[in-house]
């Protein structure tokens, strides 16, 4: 399949490195390009350490290619590269196939004597929590399972490691570059405006997300009318709905105080209880919904209800997702740096009756309507708002229109340490019983390396300002 082919890898980051190793193992001739020479140097050093000097030197490294070299008949791109980038556009114009690392992993896995089972998760929000819950459930069932994909571990590494079940988190970028991936079961959690700067239109973004529903079992959140329509139109042999309401036959949902399965059970009319709502973490509707989605995929793979219960009970929420950082003077400080779009921020704020909201960053092309809708949905929960980052004024304008009585502090770029300034301002606004919530509604790239970096800086600022004798300790009420 790959032996003897000349493959160009676009991007020398984490997925590019994994794709390179997999292609070399398959006998391909490999060229790697990246805009940063230091990343290519790092790749060379890593290959030397992993494979030895001779095999590492066989990889051609080229800085900043804008056209595929002669003889290249396949391009494997890192997910963040846009179709319009000069190199990928030139490859397509020449008739050279362009795929992503996930598609490469799918093709390698399909050629194995015993391919692993793929259980895939996508959605605008909740992907990492759901896929991590799924991994916990699968392991509670005694299966050789691993979470991979957008959660951190490249899928091709998980395939080559020989894991039997893959809990695969897929971004819209990864799905776009994965034309033939059809998981054994896939879930579409939700869809809201995000990454429109990459996809161009909402329709293109939705089409990429809907690819997760093309396998044997399609699962989707039917409380969202758009997602419910996508599920109804899915080509999967079996379609299963997930709802925060009481489930109908063929659905999973909440009945009274328990998560209930009425899809993968011998008696759909009666249903099968999975776990009490109060035992699900993170608490609140988003956490419960993610648990239902993870349970649906696990049940599609034949996992018994007892393992679903045990896996969810053992699950610990991922870092930077509704993470309690500290409690000080009756105020809780919560890090939800992973809330990188308006939909995620609205879900986060919905869990608190009174919040001082820290927001802002790179809105990734989100429309003004999306920001207005966010502010309208949470205005009655806001004690105050502190804004920072590139698109802070877009959110400020929406607040001025739709929540004019809410105090707003805008942190300007000239402040010495913007996050410390923001937390100090939030501390001054908060009252006992409030939550100071970092739920930015935006990406972090304008000010931080990534959302974990932003979350760590927030956490550090909170600890510094609320420690005994610290700058903010005297503001205790």
């Amino acid at each position: 399949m790959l032996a003897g082919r000349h493959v160009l890898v676009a991007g020398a980051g984490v997925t590019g490195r994994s794709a390179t190793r997999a292609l070399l193992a398959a006998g391909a001739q490999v060229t790697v390009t990246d805009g940063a020479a230091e990343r290519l140097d790092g790749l060379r050093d890593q290959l030397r350490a992993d494979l030895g000097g001779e095999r590492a030197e066989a990889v051609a490294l080229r800085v900043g290619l804008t056209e595929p070299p002669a003889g290249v008949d396949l391009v494997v791109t890192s997910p963040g590269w846009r179709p319009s980038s000069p190199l990928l556009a030139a490859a397509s114009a020449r008739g050279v196939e362009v795929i992503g690392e996930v598609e490469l992993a799918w093709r390698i896995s399909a050629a194995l004597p015993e391919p692993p089972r793929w259980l895939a998760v996508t959605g605008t929000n909740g992907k990492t929590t759901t896929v991590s819950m799924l991994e916990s459930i699968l392991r509670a069932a005694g299966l050789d399972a691993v979470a991979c994909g957008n959660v951190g571990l490249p899928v091709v590494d998980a395939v080559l490691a020989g894991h039997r079940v893959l809990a695969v988190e897929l971004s819209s970028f990864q799905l776009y570059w994965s034309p033939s991936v059809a998981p054994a079961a896939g879930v579409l959690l939700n869809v809201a405006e995000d990454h429109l700067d990459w996809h161009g239109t909402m329709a293109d973004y939705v089409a990429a997300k809907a690819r997760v529903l093309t396998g044997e079992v399609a699962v989707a959140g039917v409380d969202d009318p758009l997602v419910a329509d996508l599920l109804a139109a899915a080509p999967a042999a079996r379609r299963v709905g997930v709802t925060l309401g009481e489930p109908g036959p063929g659905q999973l949902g909440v009945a009274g105080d328990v998560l209930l399965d009425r899809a993968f059970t011998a008696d759909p009319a009666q249903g099968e209880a999975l776990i009490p709502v109060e035992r699900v973490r993170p608490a609140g509707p988003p956490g419960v919904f993610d648990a239902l989605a993870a349970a649906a995929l696990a049940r599609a793979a034949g996992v018994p209800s007892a393992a679903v219960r045990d896996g969810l009970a053992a699950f610990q929420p991922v870092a930077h997702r509704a993470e309690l950082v500290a409690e000080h003077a009756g105020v809780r400080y919560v890090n939800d740096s992973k809330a990188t779009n308006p939909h995620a921020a609205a879900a986060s704020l919905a869990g608190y009756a009174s919040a001082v909201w820290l927001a802002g960053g790179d809105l990734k092309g989100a429309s003004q309507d999306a920001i207005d809708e966010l502010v309208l949905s949470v205005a009655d929960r806001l004690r105050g708002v502190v804004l920072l980052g590139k698109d802070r004024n877009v959110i400020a304008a929406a607040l001025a229109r739709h929540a004019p009585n809410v105090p707003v502090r805008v942190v300007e770029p000239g402040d010495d340490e913007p996050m410390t300034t923001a937390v100090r301002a939030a501390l001054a606004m908060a009252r006992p019983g409030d939550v100071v919530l970092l739920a930015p509604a935006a990406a972090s790239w304008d000010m931080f390396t990534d959302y974990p970096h932003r979350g760590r800086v927030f956490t550090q600022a909170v600890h510094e300002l609320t420690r005994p004798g610290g700058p903010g300790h005297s503001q205790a009420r």
Side-chain angles (χ1 to χ4, degrees):
M1 179 183 70
L2 293 166
R5 298 184 69 179
H6 187 181
V7 183
L8 174 64
V9 175
V14 174
T15 58
R17 294 180 182 190
S18 293
T20 299
R21 287 194 295 267
L23 290 163
L24 289 172
Q29 176 188 349
V30 182
T31 298
V32 183
T33 187
D34 194 287
E38 61 270 19
R39 277 199 294 269
L40 292 171
D41 291 339
L43 172 62
R44 178 77 79 197
D45 292 343
Q46 189 66 55
L47 292 174
R48 285 171 178 156
D50 292 346
L51 307 173
E54 184 175 347
R55 293 188 66 193
E57 298 305 323
V59 178
L61 304 181
R62 305 283 298 276
V63 178
L65 288 179
T66 57
E67 292 191 8
V72 164
D73 59 4
L74 177 67
V75 176
V76 178
T77 181
S78 295
W81 287 46
R82 304 183 189 190
S84 59
S85 66
L87 174 62
L88 303 187
S92 297
R94 194 186 293 179
V96 176
E97 185 181 23
V98 181
I99 64 172
E101 172 265 333
V102 174
E103 176 72 16
L104 176 65
W106 176 260
R107 296 182 186 187
I108 291 173
S109 110
L112 295 174
E114 294 185 40
R117 174 170 287 196
W118 288 48
L119 305 174
V121 178
T122 198
T124 303
N125 302 303
K127 297 185 293 297
T128 299
T129 300
T130 301
V131 83
S132 301
M133 287 176 164
L134 176 59
E135 179 188 53
S136 184
I137 293 169
L138 295 170
R139 291 182 175 178
L143 297 172
D144 175 16
V146 67
C148 56
N150 199 51
V151 72
L153 175 68
V155 186
V156 72
D157 287 352
V159 169
L160 295 178
H163 294 289
R164 302 309 309 139
V165 186
L166 308 182
V168 187
E169 178 184 332
L170 295 175
S171 70
S172 59
F173 307 158
Q174 290 170 313
L175 282 161
Y176 180 92
W177 294 118
S178 302
S180 63
V181 170
V187 62
L188 176 56
L189 301 170
N190 43 57
V191 175
E193 276 193 11
D194 201 14
H195 299 302
L196 298 192
D197 54 345
W198 196 97
H199 290 279
T201 69
M202 185 65 176
D204 289 339
Y205 173 64
V206 171
K209 288 292 190 186
R211 287 185 175 184
V212 81
L213 303 177
T214 58
E216 300 166 24
V217 180
V219 181
V222 295
D223 294 339
D224 181 330
L226 172 59
V227 177
D229 288 345
L230 292 171
L231 178 64
R238 186 172 187 183
R239 296 186 288 271
V240 176
V242 173
T243 174
L244 284 171
E246 185 160 345
Q251 296 182 338
L252 282 79
V254 179
D257 59 355
V258 300
L259 277 61
L260 187 68
D261 175 6
R262 296 187 66 192
F264 303 99
T265 180
D267 185 358
Q270 174 82 16
E272 193 166 350
L274 300 174
I275 189 172
V277 169
E278 65 180 14
R279 295 189 67 190
V280 175
R281 295 291 182 274
V288 171
F289 181 83
D290 294 344
L292 286 164
L297 291 184
R299 297 286 277 164
V303 170
S305 58
V308 173
R309 179 198 64 221
D310 293 346
L312 289 175
F315 173 73
Q316 295 297 318
V318 296
H320 312 293
R321 170 60 81 191
E323 180 181 22
L324 180 63
V325 170
E327 293 188 48
H328 170 67
V331 176
R332 288 175 293 160
Y333 293 79
V334 175
N335 168 20
D336 204 354
S337 183
K338 204 170 188 304
T340 59
N341 56 65
H343 186 268
S348 186
L349 283 158
Y352 307 102
S354 180
V356 178
W357 178 31
L358 271 68
D362 184 341
L363 288 170
K364 299 176 290 184
S367 70
Q368 187 64 64
D369 286 347
I371 305 304
D372 288 345
E373 183 179 340
L374 164 61
V375 170
L376 284 166
S377 70
V378 303
D380 61 347
R381 300 174 182 273
L382 299 177
R383 171 79 66 187
V385 180
V386 182
L387 300 172
L388 69 168
K390 180 171 76 75
D391 292 327
R392 60 196 179 280
N393 291 328
V394 176
I395 303 175
L399 287 160
R401 285 192 296 273
H402 304 298
N405 296 323
V406 174
V408 177
R409 165 72 188 277
V410 177
V411 178
E412 299 296 342
D415 287 300
D416 291 339
E417 206 304 294
M419 185 62 79
T420 299
T421 301
V423 172
R424 184 180 288 110
L427 189 150
M429 290 180 181
R431 299 292 183 269
D434 289 348
V435 169
V436 171
L437 176 66
L438 174 66
S444 56
W445 309 312
D446 58 323
M447 297 177 66
F448 305 96
T449 304
D450 48 27
Y451 76 81
H453 178 211
R454 176 171 59 191
R456 290 192 299 271
V457 172
F458 170 76
T459 298
Q460 181 179 352
V462 168
H463 287 158
E464 177 65 21
L465 291 170
T466 61
R467 63 179 171 81
H473 198 264
S474 63
Q475 297 182 32
R477 296 177 172 83

